[in-house]
Amino acid sequence: MATIANYADYSLYSNAFGFLRQPLNFTPQQSDADVIITGVPFDLATTGRSGSRMGPGAIRQASINLAWEGKRWPWTFNLTQAIKIEDCGDLVFDCGDPAQMSERLEIHADSLIQQGKTLLSFGGDHFVTLPLLRAHAKKYGEIALIHFDAHTDTYDMGSKYDHGTMFYHAPNEGLIDPTHSVQIGIRTEHSHALGFNVIDAANANDRTVESIIQQIKEIIGTRPVYLTFDIDCLDPAYAPGTGTPVCGGLSTDKVLKILRGLVGINLIGMDVVEVAPAYDHAEITALAAATIATDLLHLWASNQNKN
């Protein structure tokens, strides 16, 4: 007689522990995994509505809706056969201590990067990208950035820990090169973009996907590139559950087509941030984030010649 242990769980609602049902490993430094998922439940740098500390859990929960597929359309390979993915859970830090969070996240990321692993991180608010960039720059030097967002996050005002200042600090720290970086979906004032190449939302919505992909690839070239996706790049119709929603954004369809067209870039790290599920219903935003994250994993895998 078969036992419960003999049955693979393909349910769309049970056992939402690791992202895409992938194994949990709380000591990933010793793992042989290619990609490590890390949640960063931090939103103390938020200037609008708080709540993105609940983002990592919501993204994992929504990912169950995606885990049942073998080959995820329109990709032509089975992701978990092409690469090994593990979820190390959430970063642990003292609540109310942004300095400690930043320090621990940088150390955590650095320890994995130096072991040759790639990180996919879930925010939390967008400030978490700054310590992640610091860790990546230790290995790769000055890198290119692909940044999907409604805001440039290049503001020089605000406190040291502010989710609108990361890409002001990062170029000044020598972490990224703005002239070989691109921001897509911006629909707030961006005359202070500090040399970043900006494809604003109105422009992106009027252009073909192919022309946007071509421009992105021309800007970044063959440089090591970190991709950060603030969920408010999407129009609030597609992602209402976020702290600073801005109307006039991109559709989920257009974003996914752009991401799928970036095959061949030198992708070294990635994150999806600013999911605040309390402002949502029916997991709309979390599902969008989980889908984007899944396509990022396929994008990374497609560049490893393992499929």
Side-chain angles (χ1 to χ4, degrees):
M1 179 181 293
T3 65
I4 292 176
N6 296 133
Y7 297 107
D9 188 347
Y10 48 83
S11 166
L12 295 184
Y13 53 84
S14 65
N15 296 319
F17 306 128
F19 181 72
L20 292 177
R21 296 189 182 278
Q22 294 309 290
L24 287 170
N25 183 353
F26 297 119
T27 57
Q29 289 77 8
Q30 288 75 49
S31 166
D32 62 350
D34 301 298
V35 179
I36 301 296
I37 309 292
T38 302
V40 191
F42 171 85
D43 60 8
L44 292 178
T46 304
T47 53
R49 307 184 297 189
S50 62
S52 57
R53 68 182 65 188
M54 310 306 291
I59 295 170
R60 289 186 180 101
Q61 180 71 44
S63 76
I64 290 188
N65 292 280
L66 312 174
W68 62 272
E69 289 188 272
K71 293 181 181 179
R72 175 162 175 75
W73 184 89
W75 301 96
T76 59
F77 60 93
N78 187 309
L79 178 65
T80 56
Q81 292 177 4
I83 60 173
K84 185 173 181 180
I85 305 163
E86 288 183 349
D87 190 330
C88 72
D90 292 340
L91 184 77
V92 176
F93 56 92
D94 292 342
C95 181
D97 193 339
Q100 184 193 80
M101 183 286 298
S102 183
E103 179 183 8
R104 288 189 178 181
L105 181 55
E106 182 178 347
I107 292 170
H108 167 78
D110 183 50
S111 70
L112 294 170
I113 294 165
Q114 297 307 324
Q115 292 293 324
K117 304 183 190 312
T118 299
L119 276 71
L120 169 58
S121 305
F122 298 147
D125 69 46
H126 211 159
F127 179 80
V128 304
T129 301
L130 184 56
L132 289 167
L133 286 173
R134 288 168 176 155
H136 284 81
K138 288 179 182 178
K139 178 173 182 177
Y140 296 100
E142 191 176 60
I143 58 182
L145 183 74
I146 298 177
H147 172 204
F148 289 83
D149 207 323
H151 315 83
T152 63
D153 296 336
T154 55
Y155 311 107
D156 60 357
M157 67 284 203
S159 67
K160 183 178 181 181
Y161 303 101
D162 185 311
H163 72 160
T165 62
M166 304 80 60
F167 307 127
Y168 169 79
H169 294 299
N172 290 330
E173 293 180 23
L175 308 179
I176 57 176
D177 179 356
T179 63
H180 293 290
S181 299
V182 57
Q183 300 179 313
I184 304 116
I186 307 300
R187 50 194 184 277
T188 50
E189 203 280 324
H190 55 270
S191 61
H192 54 288
L194 302 183
F196 283 93
N197 299 279
V198 175
I199 303 175
D200 65 49
N203 186 336
N205 282 329
D206 288 343
R207 288 173 58 181
T208 65
V209 168
E210 292 73 20
S211 71
I212 295 171
I213 293 167
Q214 180 180 358
Q215 184 178 355
I216 293 171
K217 288 185 172 181
E218 287 174 354
I219 290 168
I220 64 172
T222 60
R223 295 166 184 80
V225 60
Y226 186 95
L227 193 152
T228 180
F229 199 104
D230 185 326
I231 204 67
D232 72 22
C233 176
L234 299 176
D235 189 85
Y238 303 92
T242 190
T244 49
V246 183
C247 290
L250 278 62
S251 70
T252 312
D253 176 65
K254 191 153 200 172
V255 158
L256 291 173
K257 287 175 179 175
I258 294 170
L259 293 177
R260 292 165 184 164
L262 294 178
V263 170
I265 66 171
N266 185 11
L267 183 62
I268 60 167
M270 45 205 161
D271 65 51
V272 180
V273 299
E274 296 285 356
V275 174
Y279 307 108
D280 201 348
H281 67 91
E283 296 183 325
I284 294 172
T285 310
L287 180 60
T291 304
I292 289 164
T294 302
D295 269 51
L296 287 175
L297 289 170
H298 281 82
L299 173 61
W300 188 87
S302 72
N303 293 341
Q304 307 310 305
N305 295 318
K306 294 185 178 182
N307 52 302

